């Protein structure tokens, strides 16, 4: 009988903690649930230390100040969208976010995306600037910022990594314009 199996464990716990054990367990469960709610509903405090975070905070403060003063916040300006056209890897490198007058491009699976609207993330000083100006398929698939993964070599990816890459490409397609293909693409994964 199952109840008999756990009876000795209950006796050991009761002898170690006394009658207050049930109260302690209830308090621990409640504390655990409260901590879970706080963790998932409060902003991440580490966001203040992320690359480019101070620039983003300064822009947001300037916007809020303008609104508070009854002014129209200054709209962020972007270069004209990249006209559609295929590029070589060498030509793609020019659009790495280092020149604010040029669009920011990255390639995934040999397709080139204009990421200029995501300048805070992909532009100079942004946390994902290492993806700009290259085909970063492997890094996206492996969710990596390591230099060794910043390439299009995807032949040895696991199925789960290919799925992650496809998810990234789908997100890019939904948010950023596709402007062309890499003419001399070294992408060697599944289409």
């Amino acid at each position: 009988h199952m109840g008999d199996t756990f009876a000795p464990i209950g006796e050991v716990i009761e002898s170690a903690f006394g009658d207050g054990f049930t109260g302690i367990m209830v308090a621990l469960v409640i504390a655990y649930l409260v901590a879970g709610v706080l963790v998932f509903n409060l902003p991440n405090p580490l966001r203040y230390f992320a690359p480019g975070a101070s620039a983003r905070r300064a822009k947001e403060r300037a916007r809020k100040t303008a609104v508070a003063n009854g002014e129209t916040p200054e709209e962020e300006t972007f270069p004209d969208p990249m006209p559609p056209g295929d590029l070589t890897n060498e030509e793609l490198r020019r659009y790495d976010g280092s020149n604010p007058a040029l669009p920011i491009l990255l390639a995934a699976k040999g397709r080139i995306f204009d990421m200029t609207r995501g300048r805070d993330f992909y532009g100079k000083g942004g946390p994902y600037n290492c993806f700009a100006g290259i085909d970063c398929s492997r890094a996206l698939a492996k969710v990596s910022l390591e230099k060794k993964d910043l390439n299009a070599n995807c032949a040895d990816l696991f199925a789960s990594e290919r799925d992650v890459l496809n998810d990234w490409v789908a997100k890019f397609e939904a948010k950023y314009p596709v402007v062309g293909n890499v003419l001399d693409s070294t992408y060697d994964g599944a289409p």
Side-chain angles (χ1 to χ4, degrees), residues 6 9 23 28 42 44 52 61 85 93 124 127 148 154 168 171 179:
F6 293 107
I9 295 172
L28 286 174
L42 291 178
N44 180 354
R61 275 194 308 274
R93 280 189 209 93
K124 186 175 183 177
K148 68 181 175 71
C154 295
W168 276 112
K171 286 176 189 169
V179 296

Side-chain angles (χ1 to χ4, degrees), residues 130-131 134-154 156-157 161:
C130 59
F131 296 159
I134 63 168
D135 188 322
C136 58
S137 298
R138 183 178 189 84
L140 293 171
K142 292 189 162 286
V143 191
S144 170
L145 297 174
E146 293 183 37
K147 190 173 180 92
K148 68 181 175 71
D149 292 323
L150 296 173
N151 59 66
N153 303 333
C154 295
D156 65 340
L157 294 179
E161 292 170 325

